[in-house]
Amino acid sequence: MQGPLAQLESSAIVQGPLAQLESTSILQVPLAKLTWYHHITLMDKVKDAEERDFYIRKSAENGWSRNILVHQIESKLYHRQGKAVSNFNQTLPSFHSDLAKEMLKDPYKFDFLNLSEEYFEKDLEDALVNHITKFLLELGAGFSYVGRQYHLEIGGDDFYIDLLFYHLKLRSYVVIELKTGKFIPEYASKLNFYLSAVDDLMKHKTDNPTLGILICKERNKVVAEYSLRDINKPIGIAEYELTQSIPENFKGCLPTIEEIENELENNKDD
């Protein structure tokens, strides 16, 4: 009887002798980096060979623990990664565009947040920063947190970026704007303005162009595509999902600042 590792290797092999050899040799390296518990989890939770191959590679590349692997599988990362609307093909070199598109997800899953049924953009931003460890996990590998409501002074006026990150693999600043309603074209124009400012005021000569991600509650794909068509800065537009909301009368039961800080400390050890 084949063991889990052998089954994983054989399940990812495509037809044809040469293809079989190539597929096996390509998979052996990432498979060897995974624990027995990873193998069991993959066999148990992922039945499609192509999807399983995706999680094998991502686990090896990012050093996911078994718990993180389970989380990524249950959040359907395979079906969400690279699915956002973007203009990366038109605004970035091909090698940079492919990596940038892979960075995006649609939708983003913010199921770790405790928000009332009626919340504002500031509430969403506050919650994401308070749960920054889980937010970074959802964003994906490579993101380094720079700041929130990041201040820019332009022409004597003050402007504030919702969330600013630096992506270590892309070597780019990443501006994230959050919208709790439906996407409208004006949002893309404002984000384009922020990208121009960061490129001019912050980007080092060795950095790649700054990227923008607009995350909104609802997005019409056709409207988003038209909005990005003639913009020359790289922008992605995606939706987010909250899988649960806290009724207003339970709002006083939300965790305290001390509880959130303790959660962040505990997450660092995962």
Side-chain angles (χ1 to χ4, degrees):
M1 178 180 293
Q2 286 185 328
L5 179 57
Q7 291 181 43
L8 282 168
E9 289 178 342
S10 62
S11 67
I13 294 175
V14 295
Q15 293 182 349
L18 180 58
Q20 289 180 10
L21 289 173
E22 291 176 347
S23 178
T24 303
S25 61
I26 290 171
L27 274 180
Q28 280 178 343
V29 173
L31 276 170
K33 296 180 180 180
L34 304 185
T35 69
W36 175 265
Y37 299 104
H38 285 78
H39 298 158
I40 296 296
T41 299
L42 287 163
M43 291 299 301
D44 180 54
K45 293 184 174 292
V46 185
K47 304 307 179 185
D48 180 77
E50 184 176 338
E51 182 176 352
R52 189 184 297 142
D53 181 27
F54 169 85
Y55 287 114
I56 290 170
R57 296 176 192 281
K58 290 299 176 183
S59 295
E61 289 172 8
N62 301 315
W64 288 344
S65 68
R66 178 192 172 279
N67 288 340
I68 292 178
L69 172 61
V70 170
H71 169 77
Q72 300 290 19
I73 293 172
E74 292 179 348
S75 72
K76 302 185 185 302
L77 176 63
Y78 173 75
H79 299 283
R80 297 186 294 123
Q81 185 164 300
K83 303 301 182 182
V85 174
S86 78
N87 62 354
F88 292 166
N89 284 339
Q90 293 75 41
T91 57
L92 295 171
S94 58
F95 69 93
H96 195 194
S97 170
D98 291 343
L99 184 56
K101 283 190 293 185
E102 185 179 317
M103 168 194 73
L104 293 177
K105 300 173 184 175
D106 189 35
Y108 285 89
K109 299 278 191 179
F110 297 158
D111 53 356
F112 51 87
L113 300 184
N114 292 321
L115 292 172
S116 63
E117 292 179 347
E118 295 185 5
Y119 61 92
F120 300 97
E121 286 165 12
K122 183 180 183 299
D123 300 322
L124 178 60
E125 182 184 317
D126 287 345
L128 290 174
V129 173
N130 286 336
H131 294 76
I132 192 64
T133 303
K134 292 182 179 178
F135 184 34
L136 287 170
L137 175 60
E138 174 60 11
L139 287 177
F143 279 89
S144 178
Y145 177 60
V146 177
R148 59 172 293 195
Q149 289 299 305
Y150 196 90
H151 175 246
L152 296 174
E153 183 177 341
I154 303 170
D157 292 335
D158 295 318
F159 297 90
Y160 297 88
I161 293 172
D162 284 351
L163 296 166
L164 182 63
F165 293 84
Y166 189 85
H167 198 281
L168 300 175
K169 293 182 179 179
L170 291 168
R171 296 296 174 186
S172 301
Y173 281 102
V174 180
V175 174
I176 295 182
E177 286 289 292
L178 302 170
K179 300 298 178 184
T180 56
K182 186 175 182 178
F183 169 79
I184 57 176
E186 288 86 341
Y187 294 157
S189 298
K190 183 178 181 181
L191 183 51
N192 186 63
F193 167 78
Y194 283 149
L195 299 183
S196 295
V198 172
D199 277 342
D200 187 51
L201 300 175
M202 299 179 63
K203 184 173 81 71
H204 189 268
K205 62 182 180 181
T206 60
D207 288 334
N208 288 312
T210 303
L211 307 177
I213 305 177
L214 183 61
I215 305 177
C216 51
K217 187 70 178 71
E218 185 181 351
R219 178 217 64 202
N220 182 302
K221 184 177 180 181
V222 176
V223 173
E225 289 173 345
Y226 270 107
S227 300
L228 296 182
R229 178 173 293 183
D230 295 317
I231 287 181
N232 62 4
K233 295 291 184 182
I235 293 176
I237 302 173
E239 295 179 331
Y240 70 87
E241 289 183 356
L242 299 174
T243 57
Q244 60 181 14
S245 296
I246 302 300
E248 195 66 33
N249 59 317
F250 283 98
K251 196 171 182 180
C253 300
L254 297 179
T256 65
I257 295 297
E258 290 77 14
E259 289 171 335
I260 292 171
E261 289 175 347
N262 289 334
E263 178 189 9
L264 291 177
E265 288 299 320
N266 292 333
N267 285 336
K268 291 178 181 178
D269 299 328
D270 290 347

